[in-house]
């Protein structure tokens, strides 16, 4: 009766990784229980997720080919577009959120466009916006319900919003990765998404972990540009940011419980060193207490089962 916060299935968003092929289910070595799945398997997984009471998935894609223009990101037959259409057809009531970024599709693994031959890792912001616009449009045409741009480019919310509006997609919300830090906790994700930068790092566009107030500047920009929901990422080492963002906005706030956070819990649990269920539920409750309305987590299916 006096409990202040509850975790429910409705808070959860489950990340999925789509790969080309059929009947493919490849476990990610650094993320036990997480798989790269071909589209047929993604559809099966989507059904299971929906039946567990989880309202949404977020899709990432690993393309057959990577190039300088991130063609696989914005092509109408891209892997995420294909997976989106298949899931919406099979499980129409499951919300499909799509990650809108270039890093899985560029040969160099950066989230933006680089001058050919430039090895500095300094992305060209504005040419990237054009590619992100194209990517979001093709994703929405494929049936995506929510666009989630994750590259931390300046002006990306505004660019995507106007790109969608011009084509009549005025009702598609944008969940912005608004406060995203340059974090070592993304390591296992880069195995899963095959998106590690081939040179340099992401510190020219992601935030310095030492900065808190800067997160408020980032969310203010995204709110002014038309973001509908804001994300803080990673979550565990950034609980204070979740709290500050929640205090500073009236938009829903999402926390991304990232791959490295998942991997640490899984490793300890597999060694019998911690009680996995209690640790995960305590962590989820902590996110809610910190102010998160939504939680993106690889534990989502387990959490939903435990709650049931
Ligand atoms: C890329 C992206 C990353 C994650 C989601 N989208 C990582 C990165 O910046 O390399 C990380 C998710 C996770 O670690 O679970 N734009
Ligand atoms: Zn990216």
């Amino acid at each position: 009766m006096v409990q202040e916060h509850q975790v429910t299935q409705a808070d959860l968003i489950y990340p999925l990784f789509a790969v080309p092929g059929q009947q493919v289910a490849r476990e990610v070595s650094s993320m036990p229980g997480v798989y790269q799945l071909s589209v047929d398997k993604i559809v099966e997984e989507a059904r299971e997720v929906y039946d567990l009471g989880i309202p949404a998935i977020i899709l990432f894609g690993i393309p057959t080919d990577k190039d300088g223009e991130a063609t696989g990101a914005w092509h109408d037959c891209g892997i995420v577009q294909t997976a989106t259409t298949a899931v919406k057809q099979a499980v129409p009531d499951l919300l499909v959120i799509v990650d809108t970024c270039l890093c899985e599709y560029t040969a160099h693994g950066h989230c933006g466009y680089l001058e050919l031959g430039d090895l500095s890792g300094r992305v060209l912001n504005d040419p990237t916006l054009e590619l992100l616009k194209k990517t979001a449009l093709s994703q929405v045409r494929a049936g995506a319900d929510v666009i989630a741009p994750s590259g931390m480019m300046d002006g990306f919310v505004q660019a995507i919003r106007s790109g969608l509006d011009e084509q009549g997609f005025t009702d598609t919300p944008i969940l912005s990765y608004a406060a995203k830090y340059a974090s070592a906790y993304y390591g296992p994700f880069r195995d899963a998404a095959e998106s590690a930068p081939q040179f340099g790092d992401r510190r020219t566009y992601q935030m310095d972990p030492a900065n808190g107030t800067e997160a408020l500047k980032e969310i203010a920009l995204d709110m002014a540009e038309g973001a509908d929901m804001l994300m803080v990422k990673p979550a565990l080492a950034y609980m204070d940011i979740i709290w500050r963002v929640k205090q500073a906005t009236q938009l829903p706030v999402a926390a991304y419980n990232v791959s490295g956070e998942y991997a640490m819990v899984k490793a300890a649990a597999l060694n019998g060193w911690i009680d996995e269920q209690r640790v995960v539920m305590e962590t989820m409750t902590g996110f809610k207490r910190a102010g998160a309305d939504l939680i993106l987590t690889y534990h989502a299916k387990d959490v939903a089962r435990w709650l049931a």
Side-chain angles (χ1 to χ4, degrees):
M1 277 175 72
V2 294
Q3 211 168 49
E4 296 174 25
H5 300 282
Q6 269 108 28
V7 179
T8 74
Q9 287 94 327
D11 303 324
L12 305 172
I13 299 168
Y14 188 55
L16 288 172
F17 300 94
V19 290
Q22 281 226 319
Q23 294 292 305
V24 181
R26 259 194 313 270
E27 194 166 22
V28 179
S29 58
S30 51
M31 300 178 75
V34 172
Y35 297 80
Q36 295 181 331
L37 299 170
S38 51
V39 171
D40 51 326
K41 292 281 187 183
I42 291 263
V43 169
E44 283 174 27
E45 191 76 358
R47 270 201 197 93
E48 194 186 328
V49 167
Y50 183 72
D51 289 342
L52 283 166
I54 297 166
I57 57 171
I58 180 163
L59 282 179
F60 298 93
I62 297 98
T64 327
D65 298 303
K66 303 182 187 239
D67 58 29
E69 276 74 46
T71 308
W74 45 263
H75 201 280
D76 286 338
C77 304
I79 183 71
V80 160
Q81 287 80 353
T82 310
T84 299
T85 306
V87 169
K88 288 310 291 183
Q89 205 156 30
V91 202
D93 292 335
L94 180 68
L95 209 62
V96 174
I97 304 172
V98 288
D99 183 85
T100 303
C101 200
L102 306 184
C103 49
E104 289 126 53
Y105 309 93
T106 49
H108 46 67
H110 278 286
C111 299
Y113 186 76
L114 297 185
E115 198 92 68
L116 198 67
D118 181 354
L119 298 184
S120 70
R122 281 178 58 140
V123 302
L124 299 179
N125 193 87
D126 293 6
T128 302
L129 297 183
E130 290 309 308
L131 294 176
L132 290 177
K133 230 181 193 173
K134 252 165 92 164
T135 303
L137 258 179
S138 78
Q139 291 170 330
V140 173
R141 283 202 193 99
D145 297 300
V146 179
I147 294 296
S150 67
M152 289 293 280
M153 298 299 137
D154 288 340
F156 69 165
V157 172
Q158 198 277 330
I160 291 171
R161 183 72 275 155
S162 63
L164 294 180
D165 288 356
E166 279 159 22
Q167 297 298 316
F169 297 109
T170 53
D171 293 337
T172 305
I174 296 177
L175 163 58
S176 176
Y177 286 63
K180 180 177 180 183
Y181 287 86
S183 172
Y185 283 100
Y186 305 149
F189 172 92
R190 293 177 189 173
D191 296 338
E194 301 175 17
S195 65
Q198 299 304 300
F199 48 83
D201 56 43
R202 301 210 203 289
R203 279 185 281 190
T204 61
Y205 39 102
Q206 298 180 350
M207 286 171 54
D208 183 342
N211 290 0
T213 304
E214 189 183 9
L216 301 184
K217 178 187 160 193
E218 288 287 351
I219 67 154
L221 288 168
D222 286 9
M223 285 192 283
E225 291 175 27
D228 300 282
M229 295 175 265
L230 302 172
M231 192 196 298
V232 175
K233 179 183 175 198
L236 266 182
Y238 300 85
M239 291 282 211
D240 57 322
I241 307 299
I242 299 172
W243 174 256
R244 290 174 73 180
V245 166
K246 181 64 181 173
Q247 304 311 304
T249 186
Q250 284 148 11
L251 296 178
V253 174
Y256 200 140
N257 177 216
V258 299
S259 57
E261 299 169 359
Y262 174 85
M264 291 193 302
V265 170
K266 279 297 189 188
L270 287 168
N271 273 296
W273 294 342
I274 57 168
D275 179 334
E276 180 176 3
Q277 179 171 344
R278 286 193 55 202
V279 164
V280 171
M281 291 311 295
E282 186 175 332
T283 303
M284 298 299 137
T285 306
F287 295 148
K288 297 283 311 232
R289 199 188 60 243
D293 300 292
L294 303 166
I295 304 166
L296 296 96
T297 181
Y298 304 97
H299 298 290
K301 288 201 304 177
D302 287 335
V303 170
R305 280 193 204 102
W306 296 328
L307 287 170

